[in-house]
Amino acid sequence: MPQAPGVVRVTAPNASPYTFTGTNSFLIGREKLALIDPGPEDERHESALRAAMAGRPLTAIILTHTHRDHSAAAARWRRDTGAPLWFGGPHRLSRPLRRFERNALRNSADWDLVPDRTLLDGETVVAGDLGLVVHATPGHCANHLAFGLAGTDILLSGDHVMGWNSTLVSAPDGSMADYFASLDKLIALPYRLYLPAHGGPIADGPAHATALKAHRQMRNEQVIAAVRNGARTIGAVVDAIYPTQPAKVRRAAAMTIGAHMEYLEARGELRVKRGLFGFRLG
């Protein structure tokens, strides 16, 4: 589906509670192309991408980040086309694991994927035959990038800003402090139309990002209120904030609430005790 001159979106058939209608792959360019986020390994998706390419050469494969719903097919595309793979460096945690801690998203990431070129914040690269400006936007994960289409008001916002839902932030894979900082960074940039990696275009990206920031700030207040009212575990906080949500939503909510609690602890607004069996709040 064309999104703008030189930008075509092809959505993978991997709909889920975490991916909405599926992962959006983008073909950037006119006579030559770059492929952003090739998505999952799926023959139907590969066929749809090749049909949209219409025989045009692929000059680069680019990732917003290395969660597998975006990156699983990248190595195959690199092998089959010879196009180099560019992204923000191998998958890494936002901070080291603590004692007794596990990364809930460990199996969702491409830990062994290595870029042919590590993209750096602020640089401009040639994607197909168009320019892309690289913007580091850690938060959802440490190596997350957004891409501005040079000379336009269009931003490919990856998973950092989406229209269908707020972004999953699960520490230590991601960081709520980084997420807030990256929201502020995008709001200040001169892009208006956001093309996210899940869901449709966002007509006023900065306004939507500002609303997402307010939503996260509200969650901070809700976490503090739940603890003041007696919640002492992540589960109890989730029960207080999401009392009627289905189990899959509550699992994702627990990850993000954990990231909120870590953020509030660092700011001195919440006391957190850690042990073998998880958090204890006070």
Side-chain angles (χ1 to χ4, degrees), residues 44-141:
R44 296 165 296 172
H45 188 49
E46 180 178 349
S47 295
L49 282 168
R50 290 192 179 276
M53 290 169 65
R56 290 172 289 177
L58 190 66
T59 66
I61 302 152
I62 303 173
L63 302 178
T64 59
H65 61 296
T66 43
H67 287 153
R68 288 185 55 79
D69 59 310
H70 298 254
S71 63
R76 180 175 176 178
W77 275 93
R78 176 168 57 180
R79 182 189 68 235
D80 291 350
T81 66
L85 178 58
W86 302 346
F87 57 100
H91 197 85
R92 57 191 182 273
L93 296 178
S94 293
R95 60 158 175 77
L97 283 168
R98 297 189 175 102
R99 190 182 183 190
F100 305 128
E101 186 179 26
R102 59 181 291 273
N103 175 17
L105 296 184
R106 177 173 178 78
N107 294 332
S108 300
D110 261 322
W111 293 90
D112 297 327
L113 198 61
V114 176
D116 299 305
R117 174 177 177 174
T118 298
L119 299 177
L120 303 176
D121 184 45
E123 72 173 322
T124 299
V125 299
V126 178
D129 47 22
L130 298 177
L132 283 183
V133 185
V134 179
H135 298 288
T137 49
H140 175 60
C141 65

Side-chain angles (χ1 to χ4, degrees), residues 94-270:
S94 293
R95 60 158 175 77
L97 283 168
R98 297 189 175 102
R99 190 182 183 190
F100 305 128
E101 186 179 26
R102 59 181 291 273
N103 175 17
L105 296 184
R106 177 173 178 78
N107 294 332
S108 300
D110 261 322
W111 293 90
D112 297 327
L113 198 61
V114 176
D116 299 305
R117 174 177 177 174
T118 298
L119 299 177
L120 303 176
D121 184 45
E123 72 173 322
T124 299
V125 299
V126 178
D129 47 22
L130 298 177
L132 283 183
V133 185
V134 179
H135 298 288
T137 49
H140 175 60
C141 65
N143 68 350
H144 193 283
L145 302 173
F147 301 102
L149 189 61
T152 77
D153 69 346
I154 296 172
L155 181 80
L156 289 99
S157 58
D159 278 7
H160 191 70
V161 177
M162 300 179 291
W164 77 282
N165 202 358
S166 57
T167 298
L168 172 66
V169 180
S170 176
D173 195 76
S175 160
M176 191 61 69
D178 289 347
Y179 176 75
F180 275 120
S182 294
L183 278 179
D184 287 338
K185 178 179 182 177
L186 291 189
I187 291 166
L189 289 172
Y191 304 106
R192 186 171 183 85
L193 176 64
Y194 287 10
L195 302 179
H198 303 278
I202 303 168
D204 190 340
H208 189 71
T210 300
L212 288 173
K213 181 180 176 181
H215 174 76
R216 286 281 162 232
Q217 290 170 330
M218 177 194 70
R219 283 282 183 261
N220 283 332
E221 294 168 2
Q222 289 178 319
V223 170
I224 291 170
V227 173
R228 285 175 178 166
N229 289 330
R232 292 293 177 264
T233 65
I234 290 180
V237 173
V238 171
D239 287 343
I241 298 175
Y242 304 91
T244 63
Q245 293 293 343
K248 288 184 178 179
V249 173
R250 288 162 64 85
R251 282 196 293 271
M255 296 180 207
T256 296
I257 291 300
H260 276 286
M261 291 192 301
E262 185 171 292
Y263 173 79
L264 292 167
E265 179 191 24
R267 292 170 58 88
E269 298 181 51
L270 196 68

